Amino acid sequence: MKFVCLFAASLTATAAVAASIQKDPVQVNDPAMLQIVAADAQFELLAEGFRWAEGPVVESKTGAVLFSDVPQNTVWRWQPGKGASPYLQPSGYSQLNQEENLGEGSNGLIFNQQGQLVLAQHGDRRLALFNGIKDGKPGYQTLVTAYQGKALNSPNDLVQHSSGAYYFTDPPYGLKNADQSEQKQLSFNGVYRFEPGKPLQLLTDKLTRPNGLAFSPDQQFLYVANSDPQAAQWWRYPVKPDGTLGAAELFFDATDKVATEAGLPDGLKVLKSGHLLATGPGGVWVFDPRARHLGTIRTGVAAANVALSPDQRWLYVTASSYLLRIRLQVQ
């Protein structure tokens, strides 16, 4: 499938939103929702034409947004006033593992504490550091690709702790036949902690489809989404002083919404106020730190992931084939 390039003219705040994107998207369950997003806030359509847009991250200096088109093995870069254009290709599958490999690219993206781009690469089954373009192709340095000598499944999303350690999820989405893949070397789907120079630590193997993750502002808790239609949930784990996790706490269960709403618990971010913005059935769910569901920013299509601008005035959403944004209330 060829890329649909609709970006020569950048879409702006006055552009019409695609018919499938929700109009009047802010659904209020609790008045506190209006402290996060105004009742009349609307989505802007920034770019479209992707097979499955994922993993957005905002460049702090330029305001540009990098995001993955996972099936197309490409990272795109949307820049204000210029629109979107391919940035890295391949983004996550360079044929390191060829058997029963779906050939999918990167998913989650972050800038680490040194400002370097780090990618969760489905196809190459690793966390990798982007180290520049050579001979027209991106180069990557492997950070971690195995646990106790067995290949990871397909790293999906990642965050970095203030200690420098990376926390990431490893569901089987990049493997043909998922859990039944002959290439799946691990019997579980894990959440991990990787500290450079030390062995990879398995934090939990109890979630069936660990996906998006984020720390609370004080880093006392790690939130993890489980994107299983049979257990569409968000979990919270206390972070111990040594970086490992305490006993799991069910934060919110949205399994009953899966049958009627598009999407699953996937990517999430946490505001400085402690509120969660978490993609789930129907769009982006907004929670307060006590797990009250304040409302949903409805996308009209399955929402995959979110990113915040550095000042937290804008929420960027990758949803199906779209890159969207919506203005938040100033925190």
Side-chain angles (χ1 to χ4, degrees), residues 80-115:
K82 295 183 178 180
S85 58
Y87 183 67
L88 300 175
Q89 190 178 40
S91 68
Y93 178 57
S94 58
Q95 302 185 348
L96 291 182
N97 308 281
Q98 297 187 35
E99 296 182 14
E100 294 216 9
N101 198 309
L102 297 177
E104 294 192 335
S106 61
N107 192 309
L109 310 171
I110 65 167
F111 289 107
N112 67 14
Q113 293 167 355
Q114 289 73 45

Side-chain angles (χ1 to χ4, degrees), residues 110 124 132 137 157 168 178 226 248 260 283 292 302 309 324 330:
I110 65 167
D124 287 344
K137 293 185 178 181
D157 206 355
F168 69 95
N226 192 57
T260 58
R292 285 191 306 161
S309 62
L324 310 169
V330 177

Side-chain angles (χ1 to χ4, degrees), residues 235-255:
W235 291 81
R236 184 172 66 181
Y237 299 83
V239 180
K240 297 181 179 180
D242 65 357
T244 59
L245 302 181
E249 306 167 7
L250 180 61
F251 186 74
F252 199 93
D253 192 330
T255 308

Side-chain angles (χ1 to χ4, degrees), residues 173 209 226-234 252-266 279-283 285 298 301-302:
Y173 292 133
R209 288 291 185 271
N226 192 57
S227 55
D228 184 340
Q230 305 303 316
Q233 301 162 334
W234 291 274
F252 199 93
D253 192 330
T255 308
D256 62 343
K257 301 296 183 183
V258 171
T260 58
E261 301 278 7
L264 291 164
D266 201 327
T279 58
W285 293 47
R298 301 182 61 81
V301 295

Side-chain angles (χ1 to χ4, degrees), residues 11-329:
L11 296 172
T12 67
T14 60
V17 176
S20 56
I21 299 301
Q22 185 80 34
K23 296 180 181 179
D24 301 320
V26 180
Q27 173 187 305
V28 178
N29 296 347
D30 186 292
M33 176 73 165
L34 302 180
Q35 298 174 17
I36 307 301
V37 59
D40 60 352
Q42 300 291 330
F43 276 119
E44 298 176 44
L45 173 60
L46 303 180
E48 62 179 328
F50 312 102
R51 286 184 61 185
W52 183 247
E54 257 283 10
V57 64
V58 181
E59 292 180 349
S60 59
K61 293 183 179 180
T62 67
V65 181
L66 304 184
F67 60 99
S68 302
D69 187 345
V70 181
Q72 296 283 31
N73 198 16
T74 301
V75 167
W76 290 77
R77 184 173 187 266
W78 174 85
Q79 190 170 359
K82 295 183 178 180
S85 58
Y87 183 67
L88 300 175
Q89 190 178 40
S91 68
Y93 178 57
S94 58
Q95 302 185 348
L96 291 182
N97 308 281
Q98 297 187 35
E99 296 182 14
E100 294 216 9
N101 198 309
L102 297 177
E104 294 192 335
S106 61
N107 192 309
L109 310 171
I110 65 167
F111 289 107
N112 67 14
Q113 293 167 355
Q114 289 73 45
Q116 301 164 303
L117 181 65
V118 184
L119 308 91
Q121 296 184 322
H122 270 1
D124 287 344
R125 302 171 70 170
R126 63 180 178 175
L127 293 189
L129 184 72
F130 171 57
N131 58 13
I133 303 292
K134 184 177 181 180
D135 298 326
K137 293 185 178 181
Y140 302 104
Q141 173 189 338
T142 298
L143 294 178
V144 62
T145 191
Y147 174 66
Q148 295 186 347
K150 295 182 179 181
L152 297 172
N153 301 322
S154 49
N156 190 89
D157 206 355
L158 71 161
V159 290
Q160 189 177 28
H161 190 267
S162 59
S163 66
Y166 297 98
Y167 289 65
F168 69 95
T169 55
D170 188 40
Y173 292 133
L175 300 176
K176 184 179 180 181
N177 299 320
D179 283 331
Q180 284 68 51
S181 172
E182 293 182 1
Q183 302 305 310
K184 192 176 192 294
Q185 298 182 20
L186 296 166
S187 61
F188 54 84
N189 302 309
V191 180
Y192 294 92
R193 178 181 185 272
F194 173 65
E195 188 173 351
K198 296 184 178 180
L200 180 62
Q201 291 179 289
L202 175 65
L203 299 176
T204 180
D205 60 2
K206 302 305 182 185
L207 297 181
T208 50
R209 288 291 185 271
N211 202 308
L213 70 175
F215 287 108
S216 61
D218 59 8
Q219 298 189 331
Q220 295 297 305
F221 294 97
L222 179 71
Y223 297 95
V224 183
N226 192 57
S227 55
D228 184 340
Q230 305 303 316
Q233 301 162 334
W234 291 274
W235 291 81
R236 184 172 66 181
Y237 299 83
V239 180
K240 297 181 179 180
D242 65 357
T244 59
L245 302 181
E249 306 167 7
L250 180 61
F251 186 74
F252 199 93
D253 192 330
T255 308
D256 62 343
K257 301 296 183 183
V258 171
T260 58
E261 301 278 7
L264 291 164
D266 201 327
L268 63 146
K269 296 294 183 291
V270 180
L271 293 169
K272 295 175 183 178
S273 61
H275 291 79
L276 277 72
L277 303 171
T279 58
V284 181
W285 293 47
V286 179
F287 298 103
D288 73 6
R290 294 179 291 170
R292 285 191 306 161
H293 178 205
L294 304 183
T296 301
I297 307 172
R298 301 182 61 81
T299 49
V301 295
N305 212 330
V306 291
L308 291 163
S309 62
D311 59 9
Q312 302 200 346
R313 291 175 181 266
W314 293 101
L315 177 70
Y316 294 88
V317 184
T318 49
S320 184
S321 61
Y322 305 106
L323 174 66
L324 310 169
R325 75 173 177 181
I326 192 167
R327 189 174 183 87
L328 301 179
Q329 302 286 68

